[in-house]
Amino acid sequence: MTPNRNADRPRIDAHEKVLGRALYAADQPFPGLLHAMTVPATIAKGRILSIDTAAALQVPGVVRVFTYADFSQIRTTPAARGAYGQPGKGYQPMTAPQVRHRGEPVALVVAETLEAVVEGAEAVTVRYAEDPFSARMDDDLAAPEPDAVGQLASGDAEAAFAAAVHTIDVEYRHPQQHHNPIELISTTAAFEGGTLRIYEGTQSAAAFAGGLAGMMGMEPQALRGVSPYTGGGFGQKNGVQEQSVLVASAALLLRRPVKLVMPRGQLFHTASYRPQSRHRVRLAADGDGRLLAGIYETVQQNSRYDGFASDHGANPPRMYGYGAWRGSERIVRVDTQTPGHQRAPHEHPASHATECALDELAGALGMDPVALRLANDTQRDPITGKPFSSRHLADCLKRGAALFGWDRWTNQPGALVAGNGDRIGLGVACGSYKAAMTPSVTTLRLSAGGQCRIATSGHEMGQGIRSVIAAELIDVLGVDPDKLDIRIGDTGHAPQHLTAGSWGAGSAAPAARAAALKLREELSQLTGAALSDEPVPVQLARTRRPYVEVSVDTVPLGKDRQAIEQLRRGMPVTTGPEYPDFLAFSWIAHFAEVHVEPSTGRVRVRRVVSVADCGRVMNRRTAESQVRGGVVWGIGAALREAAEIDPRFGGVLNNDLAEYVVPVNADIGAIDVDFIDEPDSRLNLSGVKGLGEVAMVGAAAAIVNAVHNATGRRIRHLPIRIEDLL
């Protein structure tokens, strides 16, 4: 069956959420539940000399105070706490007296009530021996790694740059930023049916449970990871958190359910974040605007003890038809917790630097920035020479320009003025994100009464993955959406793969479609004839069978059956963007209009138009929501968000939503969204490429370019603040 264009349907779980019936990890009710709270380190580096727990144990309701002496048996390896199949958070606090970053847990208090555990945690006294430290990558004690990591390269970029007439050489800086999802990070551990179930709002229930089992010396089948809903993950919840094994170990030792919800202020110092980075961009072009060379060098902050690879250079050389390209990356080690993936992790900072640099090149050439991008469109990857599975970026630019009214743009900064005297600026930028896929093991049961139950891999993080699965079952089987039971995010129902990297829809949709098509085939064999266009449950009822059930293993393009075995062991198995015959990316073009008040420098984003090529759109309503959310993040990145680091004590000063400034409703103007909506049939059965990450890529750059168009000032750091424009 050829996939149909999907109707605009409400989210499949909308009523459950609105009515409060959607229970998140921290909402699970357990009799005899104990509450836990960590005591954060007040130094950035050093050793614990003593921990006085006497006052805490005198607080009524406090059951126990755990220290590193209780948890020294916890095993820590980078593989246990990593994400994306890479080494990651191998360091685990509270296994030794050392302190490696400010805010890490040094004690865990457990009590009968939330009030008691908070009072108990505040009563714990810790003495330290402090060591010198660095909290920023520009500090004297920061440690740059000596060797640059080679990136993608094609041709002799240095020679092409040296010979070119039109060149630019600029550096852009990106600050440290923090996720701040509405659902705080939490862990609840409870024994159920002889199994220790770990409820956590995670993007990786299987790897999470398997990692905990390894850290605790337990068999993997002794733990069950459950993530019923995740209220915003964005990469922060794709590994084992610092408190996860502490809570699970406490429940194991006390033989009672234990829950910890990490306060937001502590999360700024324990959870992952987007690291600070610097980006030097050199571009060269001929007189007609044809790109001759791109040279891209980045420096990224990292922790002392763990790995978070810098990958800023993966996307920029694929954006346009560069004649030659060279990139390299460096890491600088500092004394903080390990950074990690945050929505469009490297693609967002990379697009900020490279798309703004391209705008500067357009200015040097006297070209329209849209025309410059169109002149360098390509249907082949400049690095490998392979074709793209589909690329409609030029269509995104043309449609976006028409919807936005780009014909108002002028090369003269400040030429457009609003009726109230505000300077109007127009900016454009583009983005891309890999189209990746993962394996799935899916079980689908359809009952004669119309009930349909599917168990597959995926985590609902607010992005609408349940709605994606429902769309395929409705399209193929004609099932009633009110009779759907979609079971994801639970290792007890199906092997769970990490949901991240924008591969959720591109993996879950083909899995659901393959299972639905197999069920149709099974039913056709039962009836002895091809099925009609009637809803499949109606045709099943005529067979007088109570139900039909099928199981399907979905192996993504470029992988073999070994991927299924790796999935069953909880190992991340991803493929893309490079496939045997092509490369696959989602593409987007953003157009921004800003108004800048000339006397105060206040910037308002009045309108954004975004057009995306994400393959087949699975649900128009959730897709538009994803893009609008990505644009809002872009506004925050361009004008609001930055961690203020205290060099004296190593902490984040603005570690709450009162002072870590994010956009609010008053900051958001009109955001118009459109899609090319062309299925990518070469990539997978459903024609889906992914949308969640690409939605943000380029949004901040479009706003920065618009600010320059309004003011004539080229600000090469984020966020742009009023003092930059005065």
Side-chain angles (χ1 to χ4, degrees), residues 26 49 68 82 215 234 236 241 265 326 328 335 394 400 409 432 483 581 587 594 603:
L49 298 177
Y68 67 86
M215 295 171 77
F234 311 113
Q236 189 179 61
Q241 304 292 334
R326 183 182 67 79
S328 65
D335 298 297
W409 180 86
S432 66
K483 294 184 178 181
D581 299 323
W587 313 90
V594 303
V603 179

Side-chain angles (χ1 to χ4, degrees), residues 148-161 169 280-283 292-298 313-314 316-317 322-330 354 382-383:
V149 178
Q151 280 183 284
L152 302 173
S154 176
D156 191 339
E158 292 283 0
F161 184 86
D169 183 346
R280 184 186 178 191
V281 185
R282 287 180 278 168
L283 300 178
L292 303 175
I295 304 171
Y296 183 36
E297 299 162 321
T298 69
Y322 288 96
W325 182 270
R326 183 182 67 79
S328 65
E329 313 231 16
R330 290 183 182 271
T354 57
I383 303 298

Side-chain angles (χ1 to χ4, degrees), residues 204-207 209-210 220 223-227 459 488-496:
S204 186
L223 266 71
R224 179 172 173 179
V226 185
S227 179
H459 299 75
I488 55 175
D490 188 335
T491 59
H493 294 315
Q496 295 298 308

Side-chain angles (χ1 to χ4, degrees), residues 269-330:
H269 301 105
T270 60
S272 61
Y273 58 93
R274 194 192 305 278
Q276 183 183 7
S277 56
R278 296 195 300 267
H279 308 254
R280 184 186 178 191
V281 185
R282 287 180 278 168
L283 300 178
D286 63 19
D288 295 326
R290 184 170 60 90
L291 291 168
L292 303 175
I295 304 171
Y296 183 36
E297 299 162 321
T298 69
V299 180
Q300 175 188 287
Q301 173 181 311
N302 209 336
S303 69
R304 297 277 185 187
Y305 50 83
D306 275 335
F308 177 61
S310 179
D311 199 22
H312 293 98
N315 276 27
R318 273 69 190 256
M319 284 299 302
Y320 306 105
Y322 288 96
W325 182 270
R326 183 182 67 79
S328 65
E329 313 231 16
R330 290 183 182 271

Side-chain angles (χ1 to χ4, degrees), residues 38-56:
T38 58
V39 177
T42 57
I43 65 170
K45 189 176 183 179
R47 290 179 58 83
I48 298 171
L49 298 177
S50 67
I51 302 178
D52 187 349
T53 64

Side-chain angles (χ1 to χ4, degrees), residues 320-514:
Y320 306 105
Y322 288 96
W325 182 270
R326 183 182 67 79
S328 65
E329 313 231 16
R330 290 183 182 271
I331 293 293
V332 177
R333 300 279 182 180
V334 297
D335 298 297
T336 67
Q337 78 270 29
T338 302
H341 299 90
Q342 183 169 336
R343 192 176 192 178
H346 297 99
E347 294 77 7
H348 156 64
S351 70
H352 162 236
T354 57
E355 289 290 312
C356 289
L358 200 68
D359 204 65
E360 294 200 48
L361 180 62
L365 290 165
M367 284 187 71
D368 181 320
V370 172
L372 177 62
R373 288 167 171 83
L374 289 173
N376 289 281
D377 189 37
T378 177
Q379 291 299 315
R380 287 189 173 271
D381 171 32
I383 303 298
T384 65
K386 290 183 178 182
F388 294 113
S389 60
S390 63
R391 174 180 162 115
H392 302 287
L393 180 57
D395 294 330
C396 293
L397 279 164
K398 292 172 184 176
R399 187 179 300 182
L403 292 171
F404 182 73
W406 183 254
D407 55 2
R408 297 174 295 152
W409 180 86
T410 171
N411 196 31
Q412 180 62 42
L416 296 178
V417 181
N420 64 354
D422 285 356
R423 303 299 180 184
I424 299 175
L426 308 181
V428 63
C430 297
S432 66
Y433 196 90
K434 64 183 179 182
M437 295 180 290
T438 67
S440 296
V441 174
T442 305
T443 303
L444 176 64
R445 172 183 285 206
L446 180 66
S447 300
Q451 288 77 21
C452 185
R453 185 181 72 202
I454 185 171
T456 190
S457 176
H459 299 75
E460 178 57 67
M461 303 180 290
Q463 83 279 39
I465 199 167
R466 282 188 169 91
S467 298
V468 165
I469 294 168
E472 291 293 55
L473 298 180
I474 293 168
D475 185 34
V476 178
L477 301 177
V479 296
D480 182 348
D482 292 332
K483 294 184 178 181
L484 277 174
D485 179 7
I486 300 172
R487 300 184 176 185
I488 55 175
D490 188 335
T491 59
H493 294 315
Q496 295 298 308
H497 194 282
L498 168 68
T499 303
S502 210
W503 59 63
S507 304
R513 191 170 192 86

